[in-house]
Amino acid sequence: QVQLVESGGGLVQAGGSLRLSCAASGRTFSSYGMGWFRQAPGKEREFVAAINWSGGSTAYADSVKGRFTISRDNVKNTVYLQMNSLKPEDTAVYYCAADLRPRQAVAATSFYDYWGQGTQVTVSS
């Protein structure tokens, strides 16, 4: 079992920044990959960014490349999503997820085994 708790969401103006955190517990954090996804009202959940177990492999959605950065701290059992140059279309509930298999960063939701409860990010224009 893996428990995931997101934090750091909030309201920010367009062009601003936020850093999301996801604290993990329950299994050896450094043994599995992590991902960030988001879901806006009326839309399907979509991939945002992923990082593999070692941090040596990352992947990003085209819509966030150059603006968002995913990182992890295997001592603090936490994965981060630094979000810069935020746009109103980034407004969504953001979820972190754990991929228990040792492989490269993956984007598909079906690869992820555990999910957090989500944190709301609202970007005003």
Side-chain angles (χ1 to χ4, degrees), residues 57-80:
S57 171
T58 58
Y60 295 92
D62 288 343
S63 59
V64 307
K65 278 181 183 176
R67 300 189 298 122
F68 291 11
T69 302
I70 189 171
S71 62
R72 65 187 297 155
D73 185 330
N74 287 346
V75 174
K76 295 183 177 180
N77 291 353
T78 301
V79 64
Y80 304 98

Side-chain angles (χ1 to χ4, degrees), residues 38 63-64 67-68 85-92 94 121 123:
R38 66 188 182 187
S63 59
V64 307
R67 300 189 298 122
F68 291 11
S85 302
L86 282 161
K87 305 175 181 180
E89 51 263 43
D90 294 318
T91 295
Y94 283 71
V121 172
V123 184

Side-chain angles (χ1 to χ4, degrees), residues 2 4 19-22 24 27-36 50-58 60 69-82 97-105 112:
V2 174
L4 303 172
R19 188 177 80 157
L20 305 183
S21 300
C22 173
R27 292 185 67 159
T28 304
F29 182 69
S30 58
S31 68
Y32 53 87
M34 296 293 296
W36 285 98
I51 188 166
N52 77 329
W53 59 276
S54 68
S57 171
T58 58
Y60 295 92
T69 302
I70 189 171
S71 62
R72 65 187 297 155
D73 185 330
N74 287 346
V75 174
K76 295 183 177 180
N77 291 353
T78 301
V79 64
Y80 304 98
L81 184 68
Q82 178 66 44
D99 168 19
L100 298 185
R101 293 150 191 85
R103 53 187 163 201
Q104 301 302 303
Y112 289 84

